[in-house]
Amino acid sequence: MIATGVVACPPMGQAEAITLDEMYHPGGADAVNRALNRSYHPRSHGLVFEIVDDLDIGPADVVLDIGGRYAAHSLAMVEMFGCRAVCVDPVDSNNERARTAVAEHPAGSRVSIRRGVMEDIPGSDGEFDLIFSHDMFFHVVDADRALAEGHRVLKPGGHLLVYQLFATDLLEPGERARLYADVAVVPERMEPDDFERRASKAGFTIEMIDIVGSEFREASEEDGTNLTSRQLLYAARLLRESTALRAELGESEYRVELGNALWGVYQMIGKLEPRIYLLRKPTAPNA
């Protein structure tokens, strides 16, 4: 098992207070500018597909894109690797958009859409070579059943790739309660130790843990996509114009949009920690 990435910052409030002399010492600004106005070469979101590529997924393979929403990742994988993909999502409107996207895509014939949840995957035993779970496992209510289902539909030797966010000690209890309620998070899914324990219990071998931290978000700022900057601006507007935007958007849409904006901002400042797990179904029991 390989663990890479960053270590979270220590909880706030444990260090001694900075003095005024330390705060305003001569030359501090120049040193800060030199240190922080250079790139530390963050990896981009393309890393998840590099991991798929390393698994030698190809035309003979079938990938399950679980919780795949609009089939964007399914279409990307069939285009990159020539595989077939099955996109499964429980939300009817997501599946409708996915079918439209598939119909309009040149490689769409290699993607099929099925309605379902991870706790009851619409697939046969050993049907898939890879399960691709991207930023969705925090919605899963019954993690043990979901992982058992993933184990069932994977071929022996197949992999489950999970990109998932977890809470850190910097996420305050009040922030947790509001965020989890607003973006339909099951609180127990936000603890990495719990996920690892349940994955092992389901029979998976944990081959890799990559602690991505803020890298994808930093890369988005450096390449000009500015995803987190935009979400920070949205959060500011949603908070400052709360009354007007609640009336315009409706209460549930307002809460979802504020939750989504903070979901991104919290990744950048270490309150949420993205990780990539690569799990393997053994080729034989206890292998």
Side-chain angles (χ1 to χ4, degrees):
M1 180 172 65
I2 302 171
T4 60
V6 298
V7 177
C9 296
M12 297 295 186
Q14 293 187 357
E16 293 183 7
I18 294 295
T19 67
L20 288 176
D21 286 339
E22 290 172 321
M23 179 76 183
Y24 297 109
H25 70 91
D30 290 340
V32 167
N33 286 334
R34 286 194 300 271
L36 299 184
N37 284 316
R38 62 174 179 254
S39 175
Y40 288 86
H41 310 295
R43 296 170 296 174
S44 73
H45 185 268
L47 174 65
V48 294
F49 296 117
E50 292 175 16
I51 295 171
V52 175
D53 191 30
D54 288 342
L55 297 175
D56 293 326
I57 295 297
D61 297 312
V62 184
V63 176
L64 169 61
D65 182 8
I66 190 71
R69 296 192 70 187
Y70 313 144
H73 293 128
S74 295
L75 290 167
M77 286 186 284
V78 300
E79 189 170 39
M80 284 188 278
F81 309 118
C83 59
R84 288 178 291 134
V86 176
C87 180
V88 172
D89 197 275
V91 180
D92 288 335
S93 59
N94 286 348
N95 289 327
E96 290 174 9
R97 289 185 61 175
R99 290 189 181 94
T100 299
V102 165
E104 295 174 350
H105 196 281
S109 62
R110 300 186 68 82
V111 177
S112 60
I113 309 299
R114 301 178 190 173
R115 188 182 190 281
V117 295
M118 193 170 182
E119 293 96 327
D120 188 14
I121 295 172
S124 58
D125 294 0
E127 181 176 354
F128 302 104
D129 300 275
L130 170 68
I131 300 175
F132 186 86
S133 168
H134 187 280
D135 207 19
M136 59 72 62
F137 199 78
F138 53 84
H139 292 313
V140 170
V141 175
D142 189 337
D144 289 335
R145 182 173 175 181
L147 289 165
E149 275 287 273
H151 194 277
R152 176 184 68 81
V153 300
L154 272 176
K155 294 177 181 177
H159 288 86
L160 168 56
L161 191 158
V162 177
Y163 172 78
Q164 169 71 16
L165 272 60
F166 296 94
T168 74
D169 291 340
L170 298 180
L171 190 65
E172 301 288 346
E175 293 173 330
R176 291 178 187 236
R178 288 189 296 272
L179 182 67
Y180 295 176
D182 288 349
V183 292
V185 166
V186 178
E188 293 79 8
R189 301 293 83 79
M190 298 298 285
E191 303 298 328
D193 291 346
D194 181 79
F195 174 78
E196 292 169 23
R197 178 178 60 81
R198 293 179 188 277
S200 297
K201 177 183 174 183
F204 286 104
T205 299
I206 302 176
E207 289 195 335
M208 183 196 75
I209 306 171
D210 192 325
I211 303 176
V212 175
S214 61
E215 286 190 73
F216 292 176
R217 292 284 166 163
E218 291 180 53
S220 172
E221 295 301 308
E222 293 186 11
D223 70 15
T225 306
N226 300 322
L227 175 59
T228 310
S229 296
R230 188 164 62 252
Q231 289 179 313
L232 181 60
L233 178 60
Y234 289 175
R237 289 169 174 167
L238 286 159
L239 292 168
R240 185 167 64 88
E241 297 294 334
S242 173
T243 301
L245 287 170
R246 285 176 192 271
E248 180 177 344
L249 300 174
E251 181 65 18
S252 62
E253 186 66 23
Y254 174 89
R255 289 176 57 191
V256 168
E257 291 309 314
L258 180 57
N260 281 335
L262 293 175
W263 190 257
V265 173
Y266 286 172
Q267 292 175 59
M268 184 69 100
I269 61 176
K271 290 176 180 284
L272 295 176
E273 180 182 80
R275 295 185 175 200
I276 299 173
Y277 284 88
L278 186 63
L279 312 180
R280 181 175 178 271
K281 177 179 177 177
T283 54
N286 301 319

